[in-house]
């Protein structure tokens, strides 16, 4: 359940099925982005795994690297360590993880492809909700409720593509231009 808007215009949104509990932990998202993961991969992993799991796996991943292991694809290896459910990355003291059935590049690509497929199957309302979650996570206290509502109206009216919005924010975050993005958006708002 989430709330959109304030006062008489406030809406309560109930979410069922796979969408339920789909809000990623902001701290987990930041940790993964700091490691260099692409936004969509980090977002997908932060939605799928709890913060404690991600922190523990990041420690294990770093222990392997500090122990001398040099993966061919560092980010693919990170995704593989986070997703591992077979126990193949239990003891980093040996510094040589067991062979993977799937190369790290494939693991990272699989997460990206899964996130893209999942996005395309979502109804428009769910895509808008996800895009607003990303906006809130990236901009935090810098964006007002009214500005979030305006973004939602534009997406609902077809004036703004939810996926395009997410991609713009992802690029702005990667390039350290989030403030510039917000300033450009505010220039498009009607004057009070």
């Amino acid at each position: 359940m989430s709330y959109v808007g304030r006062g008489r215009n406030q809406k309560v949104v109930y979410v069922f099925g796979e969408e339920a509990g789909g809000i990623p932990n902001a701290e987990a998202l930041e940790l993964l982005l700091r490691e260099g993961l692409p936004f969509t991969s980090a977002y997908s992993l932060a939605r799928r795994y709890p913060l404690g799991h991600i922190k523990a796996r990041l420690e294990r991943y770093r222990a392997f690297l500090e122990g001398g292991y040099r993966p061919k694809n560092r980010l693919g290896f990170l995704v593989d360590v986070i997703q591992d459910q077979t126990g193949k990355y239990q003891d980093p003291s040996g510094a040589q993880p067991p062979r993977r059935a799937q190369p790290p590049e494939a693991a990272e690509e699989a997460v990206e492809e899964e996130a893209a497929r999942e996005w395309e199957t979502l109804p428009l309302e769910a895509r808008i909700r996800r895009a607003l979650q990303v906006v809130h996570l990236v901009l935090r206290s810098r964006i007002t409720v009214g500005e979030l509502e305006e973004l939602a109206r534009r997406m609902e009216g077809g004036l703004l593509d939810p996926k395009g919005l997410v991609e713009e924010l992802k690029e702005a975050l990667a390039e350290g231009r989030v403030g510039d993005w917000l300033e450009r958006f505010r220039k498009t708002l009607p004057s009070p």
Side-chain angles (χ1 to χ4, degrees):
M1 180 170 70
S2 62
Y3 300 93
V4 178
R6 295 189 307 196
R8 291 179 185 226
N9 294 328
Q10 185 176 47
K11 296 177 187 175
V12 178
V13 180
Y14 293 93
V15 184
F16 303 96
E18 283 188 36
E19 275 293 297
I23 299 174
N25 180 289
E27 185 179 347
L29 182 64
E30 283 185 36
L31 287 170
L32 294 169
L33 289 171
R34 267 192 247 129
E35 289 295 331
L37 275 179
F39 185 84
T40 51
S41 293
Y43 186 85
S44 178
L45 290 169
R47 263 189 63 241
R48 195 174 311 146
Y49 299 101
L51 177 61
H53 175 89
I54 289 175
K55 282 183 171 181
R57 296 304 173 95
L58 280 171
E59 286 178 22
R60 194 173 298 168
Y61 159 79
R62 291 178 186 132
F64 272 110
L65 296 180
E66 290 167 5
Y69 179 68
R70 297 290 169 242
K72 289 182 183 177
N73 179 326
R74 188 179 60 79
L75 296 178
F77 177 61
L78 171 59
V79 170
D80 202 33
V81 170
I82 290 171
Q83 292 179 329
D84 176 41
Q85 295 182 3
T86 63
K88 63 184 170 184
Y89 298 110
Q90 288 299 319
D91 182 20
S93 61
Q96 286 297 327
R99 292 210 159 264
R100 294 173 289 288
Q102 187 180 43
E105 296 89 359
E108 184 177 349
E109 287 173 16
V111 169
E112 291 282 340
E113 289 170 9
E114 181 183 337
R117 275 193 311 274
E118 181 183 0
W119 181 270
E120 295 305 320
T121 63
L122 294 174
L124 178 61
E125 297 81 25
R127 282 187 249 161
I128 290 171
R129 191 168 47 255
R130 288 261 180 97
L132 290 173
Q133 289 171 351
V134 170
V135 170
H136 191 262
L137 282 168
V138 171
L139 297 174
R140 297 178 192 242
S141 62
R142 291 188 269 185
I143 193 162
T144 67
V145 172
E147 291 167 338
L148 283 170
E149 289 172 346
E150 179 61 25
L151 283 172
R153 275 192 290 279
R154 290 180 185 188
M155 288 185 281
E156 289 167 354
L159 300 173
L160 184 61
D161 174 46
K163 187 170 187 167
L165 173 62
V166 169
E167 292 300 318
E168 282 181 31
L169 281 172
K170 174 177 126 178
E171 185 177 319
L173 185 64
E175 296 174 1
R177 297 182 299 103
V178 173
D180 295 341
W181 182 93
L182 186 56
E183 187 177 318
R184 276 195 322 276
F185 167 67
R186 285 181 173 151
K187 287 180 182 177
T188 69
L189 297 173
S191 300

